[in-house]
Amino acid sequence: MSAIGSICLGNLRRRKVQNALIGLLLLLSTLLINTAITVITSSENLYEDLHRETRGSHELLKLTKGLHDPQRVQEWWAGQQGITVSSVMTYKSMAGIIHNGEDIPNLSLYMMSTPDQPFGTDELVFAQGQEAAHPEPGTVWIPTSLAYKYNVAAGDTLQFKAGDEPLQLSVSAVVIDLPLGGPFSTTARIWMNPADYQQDLSTVSVNNSYLMGIRFDDYSQSAAYWEQFEEFLGTPFMEERTTYEEISAFYFIMNKIIGFVMTFLGLVMMLVALYTIGFTISDAILSNYKTIGIFKSLGLSSRKIIFTYILQYGFLSLITIIPGLLLSRLLSGVIIELSLSFLKTDHSSVHIYSSDTELIVGAGILLLILLVVWVYAGKARSIQPMQAIRYGMSEAAHSRINRKWGEERRRGKEFEKWPVPVVIGLRNVTKNLKGSLLMLVLTTVTSAVLVFGLVLLNSIYQMQETSPLWGYDSSDVVVMVTNAAEFDHSSLTADIASDSRVLNLNWAGYAIGVAPASRTQASDPAGSRPQSVNIPLTVVEGSMDEIGLASISGRNPHNRNEISIGINISRKLNKEIGDVVELYIEKEKHSFTVTGIYQSIANMSNQARVTSEVVRNLSAETGYLNLKDSADSDDIVQQLNDSYGSDIQAVKQQTMLDSVFKEATAVLIIPMSLLGLLFLLITCLIIYSTSRIHIRKEIKTYGIYKSIGLTSNTIRSALTLGIAALAAAGAILGIFCGVYLLPGILRGLLSSYGIVKLPLLMQWTGISLLALLSITVAGCGCWFASRIIRSHSARILVTE
C-alpha cells in the first residue's frame, strides 16, 4: 500500500499544471450543475412553501363587468367541501401613480378596500412596516413588486391620479402579494383603509370591481367543481379567471432560463473534464510505459497500478467537488436574490434549498469520474514488462512507429513548397489529434456561450425592434386613460388628427370571452375532463395592423366574425387557421373564424384579439400612436401629459417595455457574463496545458529547428498560428451553435410560456468581436505555453 501511495503522490507532484487544470474543471462543472439544480428547486420550493403558508389561491376570479353577482358566487364556493374561498374584495381599477415627482409607467392599480384579516386566501406577508389589521387612515400598503422595482419604501408618499386632484397617501407597509405581485407584473394592489376608500374614491367615476381567491384541498378536482358551479350559474362563468399555472409561471421563468443555460454548459464542461482526464491518463501511461513495465516486473499487479490512478483522481475530485458545492450556494443565493427579490422581507432573506441535491450531485460526479478513470487506466493491463523495458512501448506500437516514420518522410516532400512556419503549425495540430480535438471543442463551446449570451441579452434589451413578435404593439407612443369619467375621447382624437407629426391613432379595450367546456380540449390537472376556458380579449377600435400587432401565422382579424388567437389558446381549443371558434362575450354567443395565430409572453399566449364591433360596452382606454418620425416621441408625450393632466398617462413604447423587461436583463447579465468569463479562462488554461505537454514531447525537434537558424519567436509564432487557425474553425462552429442550436433548445423551454419562435436580434459586429476574442484567448494559451522554447538553447534542446 505504501508503494501505491508513493506512486500516487509522485504523479500529483510531477503533473502539477495538468492536475490543477483538471481540478479547476471539476470545480467549475460541479459549481454550474449544482447551481442550476439548486436555483430551479429552490425557486419552486420557495414559492410553494410561501403559497402553502399564505394559503395561496389556485384560482383568482375577477368580476369587473357586472355579469355575475359577486356575493352569490362567493357563497356557492364557500359552501363546497374541500374549498377555501376568500371574502369578496372590493376594488377600483385605476392607472397613474407618481413617486418623487416621477410617473411610474405601465402599471394598472387595483385600489383595494382592505377587508378584515384573515382574508381566507392569499394572506399578506409584511416585508416592511408594522403588521396591522388595516392600513392606518391616510396610508396604504403596497406590494414588493412595486416597492423594490421603483425604490419605494415605507414612509414615502405616493400620488394617485384619482380625479382632478392627485390623491396623496403615505406608504405604511410593503407586503408580499403572491398572486398579483410577481416578476414582470404590470398590476399592483394598493391596500387602502376602508374609510379612505369610501371617502377618497367616492368621486371617482369608476364602477366597483370584485376579486376573490379559491384554494382547493385537491387541485386536481378543480374541473369537477367548475362543472357543478357552471350548472349552478346556468351559464359559463363570464368574467376573468386566472389559473394557478398562470399565477405562478413568471416566478420561475428567469430561473428556468438560467438553470437551462447553466445545466447545459455545466454538462459540457464536465464532458471536457472527463475527456481531459482520459487524455491525461492515456498520455501518462504512454510517457511512463517503461516505468510501469519495471513496476510490473517487480511484482506490482495491474489492479494496483490502476488503483493508483483511481486514488489520485479520487483525491483530486474530493478536494475540488466539495468547494464547488460550497461555492454553488453563494452563486445560487445571488441569482435567487435577484430573480425572486419580491419574496424577500427586511427580516428574512430568500431561503436556499440545497442540502439533498448537493449530496446527490457530488456523489454522482465523483462516481462518474472514478468510472472514467477506471476505464482509461485499464490500458495499463496490456503492458508487458519485457516489451516495455526494451522499447518503452508495446512491440506492435514500436513497429507501427517505424512504419509511420517512413511514411512521414515520404509525405514530407509534399510540404517542401510550403512556408516553414505553416508546416510547423500544421504539424503541431495534426500530430496531436486528441489534443487538437479538445481545443476545437473548447473554442466551439466558448464561442457559443459568448455569442448566445450576447444575442439573448441584446434581444431582450432591444425588444422594441421585435416587440410584435413578443405579443406587443410597435407603436411609438401609448396613451392610457386614467380618469375615464372626465376624459374626452373626441377632443384628444381631434387634437391628434390635427397634429402633422402623427401618422395614425387607434384605440383598444378589454373584454372576456368564454369557450364552453363542450367546445374545448382543455382539461383539469389530472387530465380527466374538459373545462371551459376564459380568454382575455384585446378588442381593437381601429386597425390592428397599424398598431403593429403581429401573427406567427395568418393575419389579424378585419371583420366582426374573425378572431386571432394566442398559441396556447390554439392548443387548448385545438383550433387552427380557418377553424370556427364559439365564444360567449357579455353573455352572447358568437362564432368566429380563426384568421391568425400569434405568440405573446404576456398571459402566456392565453388570449385572443377581436374587433370592436363584437363588444357592446367597450371601454377603449388605451390609445396607440404612430408618428411620422419617432424622434418626436418625447415632445408628443410631454405635450399630451401637459394638455390632459391627470386624465391620461402618455408614455413612449420603449418606456413601457423597459418597465417590464429591464429586470430580466439585470437578472441575466450576471450569470451570462460569469459563464463567458469562466469558459474563456478554461479555454486558455486547457490550451496552455495541452500545448505544453505536446511541446515537451517535441522539444528535441524544436531544438533542431533552432540549430538550423529558426528563431524561438518564429517557432512560437508558427505554433500559435496553427492553434489560432484551429480556434477559428471552432469559433465558426460556435457562432452557429450560439445563433441556432442553443436558441433552438431554449425555444423548447419557452414554448409552454407561449413563445414558439424566439425573436432574436443578431448583432454581427459584436458576434464577430466575441469570436475573435475566443481565438485570441486560444492563441495566448499556446504562446504562453511555448515560452520553454525561448528559455532553452539549441544545444541543450538537441541534447535532451
Side-chain angles (χ1 to χ4, degrees):
M1 190 65 188
S2 60
I4 294 174
S6 298
I7 295 172
C8 178
L9 290 174
N11 289 338
L12 289 171
R13 282 196 301 267
R14 280 193 303 272
R15 295 178 174 267
K16 296 184 184 71
V17 176
Q18 289 85 355
N19 289 329
L21 176 61
I22 291 171
L24 181 61
L25 281 171
L26 295 178
L27 185 149
L28 293 177
S29 55
T30 303
L31 171 67
L32 292 180
I33 294 173
N34 194 63
T35 298
I37 294 173
T38 301
V39 164
I40 293 173
T41 55
S42 291
S43 300
E44 294 178 352
N45 290 337
L46 179 66
Y47 179 84
E48 289 171 0
D49 286 352
L50 193 58
H51 189 266
R52 183 174 56 255
E53 291 170 8
T54 60
R55 291 181 288 179
S57 299
H58 290 116
E59 292 183 346
L60 284 179
L61 306 184
K62 298 177 188 174
L63 294 88
T64 61
K65 305 295 183 181
L67 301 177
H68 300 286
D69 180 359
Q71 201 61 44
R72 184 167 176 253
V73 170
Q74 196 272 346
E75 288 174 356
W76 187 91
W77 285 103
Q80 307 305 306
Q81 294 292 327
I83 298 287
T84 303
V85 63
S86 72
S87 56
V88 177
M89 298 187 183
T90 306
Y91 70 96
K92 289 191 176 185
S93 295
M94 294 171 50
I97 182 172
I98 301 171
H99 177 241
N100 290 337
E102 296 289 335
D103 279 338
I104 295 178
N106 195 27
L107 191 62
S108 298
L109 305 175
Y110 294 169
M111 308 299 290
M112 310 294 298
S113 177
T114 307
D116 294 333
Q117 298 189 66
F119 301 153
T121 64
D122 299 316
E123 306 299 341
L124 301 178
V125 177
F126 284 74
Q128 294 179 14
Q130 294 296 319
E131 185 171 353
H134 298 94
E136 293 293 324
T139 70
V140 292
W141 300 338
I142 64 171
T144 52
S145 56
L146 168 60
Y148 295 167
K149 192 172 181 180
Y150 295 102
N151 297 317
V152 184
D156 290 359
T157 299
L158 297 175
Q159 293 181 323
F160 301 92
K161 296 181 180 181
D164 295 334
E165 294 294 330
L167 172 63
Q168 292 195 10
L169 297 168
S170 65
V171 177
S172 59
V174 175
V175 296
I176 297 175
D177 190 354
L178 203 59
L180 292 174
F184 314 113
S185 176
T186 57
T187 61
R189 288 199 281 191
I190 307 298
W191 302 89
M192 299 181 65
N193 180 276
D196 288 346
Y197 181 89
Q198 293 296 329
Q199 179 180 343
D200 295 334
L201 300 185
S202 59
T203 58
V204 177
S205 301
V206 177
N207 293 331
N208 283 336
S209 296
Y210 305 92
L211 182 148
M212 65 188 75
I214 301 172
R215 179 176 177 84
F216 300 91
D217 290 350
D218 183 359
Y219 184 41
S220 66
Q221 299 301 311
S222 63
Y225 284 107
W226 271 96
E227 185 177 359
Q228 298 172 35
F229 175 57
E230 292 183 337
E231 286 179 2
F232 164 75
L233 290 178
T235 66
F237 180 69
M238 298 293 176
E239 299 275 14
E240 185 175 354
R241 170 189 173 196
T242 307
T243 64
Y244 174 77
E245 290 74 22
E246 294 172 290
I247 293 171
S248 61
F250 289 99
Y251 281 97
F252 307 141
I253 183 170
M254 291 309 302
N255 285 344
K256 283 186 177 180
I257 293 174
I258 294 169
F260 150 74
V261 173
M262 284 193 163
T263 301
F264 180 82
L265 298 178
L267 290 174
V268 170
M269 190 174 286
M270 178 57 67
L271 291 176
V272 170
L274 295 176
Y275 182 87
T276 305
I277 289 173
F279 173 79
T280 305
I281 291 174
S282 299
D283 179 73
I285 290 174
L286 291 175
S287 300
N288 299 299
Y289 206 93
K290 182 177 292 187
T291 303
I292 294 173
I294 294 172
F295 287 156
K296 280 194 168 187
S297 68
L298 294 175
L300 201 64
S301 66
S302 296
R303 182 178 297 178
K304 291 182 178 179
I305 292 173
I306 293 171
F307 185 69
T308 61
Y309 289 104
I310 292 176
L311 184 63
Q312 173 187 339
Y313 287 100
F315 171 74
L316 194 61
S317 300
L318 286 175
I319 64 173
T320 54
I321 289 175
I322 293 174
L325 295 175
L326 295 176
L327 287 173
S328 72
R329 289 190 179 186
L330 299 176
L331 182 57
S332 302
V334 171
I335 294 172
I336 293 173
E337 286 278 345
L338 287 172
S339 59
L340 294 180
S341 60
F342 297 162
L343 302 183
K344 182 175 62 175
T345 70
D346 280 358
H347 45 271
S348 66
S349 58
V350 177
H351 182 64
I352 307 298
Y353 297 80
S354 60
S355 55
D356 294 338
T357 58
E358 282 180 354
L359 294 175
I360 295 172
V361 170
I365 291 174
L366 179 61
L367 289 175
L368 184 61
I369 292 168
L370 295 180
L371 177 62
V372 170
V373 172
W374 179 75
V375 170
Y376 277 91
K379 295 179 181 180
R381 293 191 185 95
S382 61
I383 295 177
Q384 300 297 322
M386 293 303 296
Q387 294 179 13
I389 294 170
R390 182 176 180 181
Y391 301 114
M393 63 188 71
S394 67
E395 188 173 359
H398 184 263
S399 301
R400 190 163 55 249
I401 286 175
N402 287 336
R403 289 196 304 270
K404 188 176 180 181
W405 172 247
E407 293 172 0
E408 285 185 354
R409 290 182 64 186
R410 289 190 297 271
R411 282 202 306 268
K413 296 179 180 181
E414 300 174 10
F415 297 100
E416 288 179 354
K417 296 181 180 180
W418 290 32
V420 173
V422 173
V423 175
I424 294 173
L426 183 62
R427 186 175 182 274
N428 179 56
V429 171
T430 56
K431 194 171 182 180
N432 183 27
L433 288 178
K434 287 185 178 180
S436 298
L437 178 61
L438 178 60
M439 296 179 198
L440 181 67
V441 170
L442 272 172
T443 51
T444 299
V445 173
T446 301
S447 299
V449 172
L450 294 173
V451 169
F452 175 68
L454 174 67
V455 169
L456 182 62
L457 289 172
N458 183 60
S459 298
I460 295 175
Y461 188 75
Q462 299 289 340
M463 188 174 283
Q464 187 180 21
E465 297 184 28
T466 57
S467 58
L469 294 177
W470 292 94
Y472 298 100
D473 62 280
S474 63
S475 56
D476 296 307
V477 175
V478 178
V479 176
M480 294 173 289
V481 177
T482 58
N483 186 3
E486 303 296 331
F487 175 67
D488 187 348
H489 270 267
S490 58
S491 174
L492 185 141
T493 303
D495 288 346
I496 289 176
S498 64
D499 193 327
S500 60
R501 298 171 296 177
V502 178
L503 191 62
N504 53 60
L505 166 65
N506 295 278
W507 290 93
Y510 167 82
I512 292 290
V514 181
S518 59
R519 301 292 183 180
T520 178
Q521 301 295 316
S523 60
D524 70 334
S528 59
R529 64 180 76 201
Q531 293 191 63
S532 60
V533 177
N534 295 64
I535 306 172
L537 301 176
T538 300
V539 186
V540 176
E541 189 179 87
S543 171
M544 295 186 197
D545 296 328
E546 289 182 356
I547 290 175
L549 302 178
S551 300
I552 56 175
S553 60
R555 61 170 176 82
N556 287 317
H558 298 153
N559 304 309
R560 63 173 297 136
N561 63 339
E562 295 177 343
I563 190 171
S564 179
I565 58 178
I567 185 66
N568 275 335
I569 293 298
S570 173
R571 292 166 177 166
K572 289 180 179 179
L573 303 184
N574 194 27
K575 299 294 182 181
E576 298 294 336
I577 294 175
D579 291 345
V580 175
V581 173
E582 292 184 355
L583 297 180
Y584 286 91
I585 303 174
E586 299 175 327
K587 294 190 176 182
E588 291 186 4
K589 185 177 180 181
H590 299 265
S591 293
F592 299 96
T593 300
V594 178
T595 62
I597 296 174
Y598 66 94
Q599 62 181 19
S600 174
I601 193 69
N603 293 100
M604 300 170 63
S605 292
N606 291 303
Q607 52 185 224
R609 298 166 180 163
V610 295
T611 61
S612 59
E613 292 85 357
V614 178
V615 181
R616 289 177 302 173
N617 301 314
L618 177 65
S619 179
E621 296 183 354
T622 307
Y624 299 91
L625 283 77
N626 287 310
L627 308 180
K628 294 177 182 178
D629 184 354
S630 59
D632 294 327
S633 296
D634 289 318
D635 291 339
I636 293 287
V637 166
Q638 185 66 43
Q639 180 181 322
L640 289 173
N641 285 326
D642 290 343
S643 300
Y644 291 89
S646 61
D647 290 348
I648 67 165
Q649 184 183 49
V651 294
K652 295 194 302 182
Q653 191 225 29
Q654 180 66 60
T655 303
M656 298 189 70
L657 291 174
D658 287 347
S659 69
V660 178
F661 292 102
K662 263 193 173 179
E663 61 185 280
T665 307
V667 171
L668 282 174
I669 195 167
I670 291 178
M672 295 306 298
S673 301
L674 178 63
L675 288 173
L677 291 173
L678 285 179
F679 272 90
L680 284 173
L681 175 64
I682 290 299
T683 299
C684 185
L685 291 176
I686 288 185
I687 290 177
Y688 170 83
S689 176
T690 307
S691 298
R692 185 183 175 90
I693 292 172
H694 187 62
I695 289 170
R696 284 190 177 279
K697 288 181 179 179
E698 298 291 319
I699 199 70
K700 184 183 291 186
T701 303
Y702 300 137
I704 294 172
Y705 291 162
K706 290 183 75 173
S707 69
I708 60 176
L710 290 179
T711 65
S712 297
N713 284 340
T714 301
I715 299 171
R716 295 178 70 193
S717 298
L719 297 176
T720 301
L721 287 174
I723 297 302
L726 183 68
I732 294 172
L733 290 174
I735 290 174
F736 175 81
C737 294
V739 170
Y740 298 105
L741 179 61
L742 287 176
I745 300 173
L746 179 60
R747 193 179 299 119
L749 176 67
L750 293 178
S751 176
S752 61
Y753 286 87
I755 298 296
V756 294
K757 293 184 178 180
L758 195 60
L760 297 177
L761 289 174
M762 302 301 165
Q763 191 181 30
W764 290 108
T765 301
I767 289 172
S768 302
L769 290 175
L770 290 177
L772 183 61
L773 177 61
S774 65
I775 296 171
T776 303
V777 167
C780 289
C782 181
W783 179 261
F784 293 145
S786 63
R787 285 181 300 179
I788 188 175
I789 297 174
R790 185 185 61 186
S791 60
H792 286 68
S793 68
R795 181 179 61 81
I796 295 174
L797 291 174
V798 173
T799 302
E800 289 180 351

